[in-house]
Amino acid sequence: MATMDRQATTLALAHALSAAERGLAVIPLSRSKLPALRSPHHDDPSPSPCRGECGHFGHGVYDASTDPHRVRELFAAAPWATGYGIACGLHPHHLIGVDLDTKSGTDSSTALRELALRHLFTIPETVVVLTPSGGRHLWLTGPPDVVVPNSASRLAPGIDIRGAGGYLVGPGSRTDHGVYGTAPGTAHLPPAPCPPELLRLLLPPPRSTPPRPAGGGGGHGHGLIHFVLTAHEGQRNTRLFWAACRAYENGLGPDLTDALVDAAVRTGLTEREARSTVASAARMSARRG
């Protein structure tokens, strides 16, 4: 077992150094996926907030570095480490991790696709890390002047976000549950920029929301129907889904359903396809309500 752990530590260090060469700041992790180095202040009765100003290791993501000499020092101080973490939100990549979990029977991949349809964005080709439990981590980059917070299932059940102050388990790490690895064909991709529409969803919600339009449809309902009617081939289902989401958000869904379906049929969708799309939008809006 000791020999296997030494091999795992050697491999983890090699992967961590490779990540550091790509500009990704890293820290050593234990088999539990937690930072391998304990806080130097753990015995202090009333520890003061410290992010490494004391000069010692053991401050989690605040130890993270791209300097190969410092990375080697971190792993030398934690010879039991079998993995490494990649700090999010740091220069130059300002990494954002989209963690698609599979626990508790959630279908996080479908939830992300529905979000993309609803808010008219696509997930670009990027690094995808496969977790031992069957989940996926998508690597995206954010603007340097935007701080994306960590969140758990705020976007949708099973979708966690790793932002500033968080970290992702790096590919090649060995944990109690298995080994993390990159999905085929994504290992050498650079992290792709986060779509602006998704980035807006990742930021803290505003303190107040604009008042909803009064029920009954009015000009807003006509605008949604026109939006569907003017769809070109290849965007008909996307436009219908988006319009239906907006309708249900504003309390117009039941009143506009038939009109939206009729508009979609006139663009070339079948009635069955259109009603299925509207029903999906209704379910999505109910979950976020």
Side-chain angles (χ1 to χ4, degrees):
M1 179 63 71
T3 300
M4 290 180 62
D5 283 346
R6 283 197 298 270
Q7 291 175 345
T9 301
T10 299
L11 286 173
L13 173 58
H15 285 296
L17 289 171
S18 178
E21 287 181 358
R22 299 173 64 184
L24 299 166
V26 297
I27 55 171
L29 299 181
S30 67
R31 283 185 173 271
S32 64
K33 300 187 293 185
L34 295 174
L37 292 168
R38 188 166 62 169
S39 169
H41 312 293
H42 67 278
D43 289 330
D44 295 353
S46 300
S48 301
C50 181
R51 295 184 174 183
E53 296 87 353
C54 65
H56 299 289
F57 293 149
H59 298 87
V61 293
Y62 301 109
D63 290 341
S65 178
T66 59
D67 178 4
H69 177 71
R70 181 174 172 86
V71 172
R72 290 182 183 278
E73 287 183 332
L74 285 165
F75 274 82
W80 52 88
T82 60
Y84 66 104
I86 298 173
C88 296
L90 299 183
H91 178 80
H93 297 290
H94 306 280
L95 195 65
I96 302 167
V98 180
D99 182 354
L100 302 177
D101 207 347
T102 59
K103 297 175 183 176
S104 305
T106 58
D107 190 349
S108 53
S109 294
T110 296
L112 181 61
R113 286 195 296 270
E114 289 183 343
L115 280 171
L117 280 171
R118 180 181 182 186
H119 295 278
L120 299 179
F121 67 85
T122 58
I123 297 296
E125 288 190 357
T126 191
V127 180
V128 178
V129 176
L130 305 179
T131 74
S133 63
R136 294 184 296 149
H137 294 168
L138 312 182
W139 292 12
L140 301 172
T141 63
D145 57 343
V146 174
V147 177
V148 174
N150 296 290
S151 65
S153 294
R154 184 174 70 82
L155 285 185
I159 300 180
D160 297 341
I161 301 299
R162 303 288 182 260
Y167 63 89
L168 292 164
V169 179
S173 295
R174 183 174 295 275
T175 71
D176 287 333
H177 300 288
V179 179
Y180 285 68
T182 49
T186 72
H188 301 292
L189 293 174
C194 182
E197 297 82 1
L198 175 57
L199 184 63
R200 282 193 287 270
L201 297 178
L202 302 183
L203 298 179
R207 294 186 178 181
S208 61
T209 56
R212 285 182 167 185
H220 186 64
H222 290 304
L224 294 176
I225 294 168
H226 178 73
F227 183 74
V228 175
L229 283 170
T230 55
H232 298 294
E233 185 174 357
Q235 58 179 206
R236 295 173 298 195
N237 192 63
T238 299
R239 284 201 172 209
L240 174 61
F241 186 88
W242 186 91
C245 285
R246 302 289 83 74
Y248 275 95
E249 283 177 351
N250 292 298
L252 310 176
D255 294 333
L256 284 183
T257 292
D258 287 342
L260 289 171
V261 169
D262 180 67
V265 169
R266 290 169 63 183
T267 66
L269 290 181
T270 67
E271 182 175 351
R272 181 177 180 180
E273 289 173 327
R275 291 197 179 277
S276 176
T277 297
V278 172
S280 180
R283 289 193 299 271
M284 170 66 77
S285 300
R287 285 202 295 267
R288 291 181 61 87

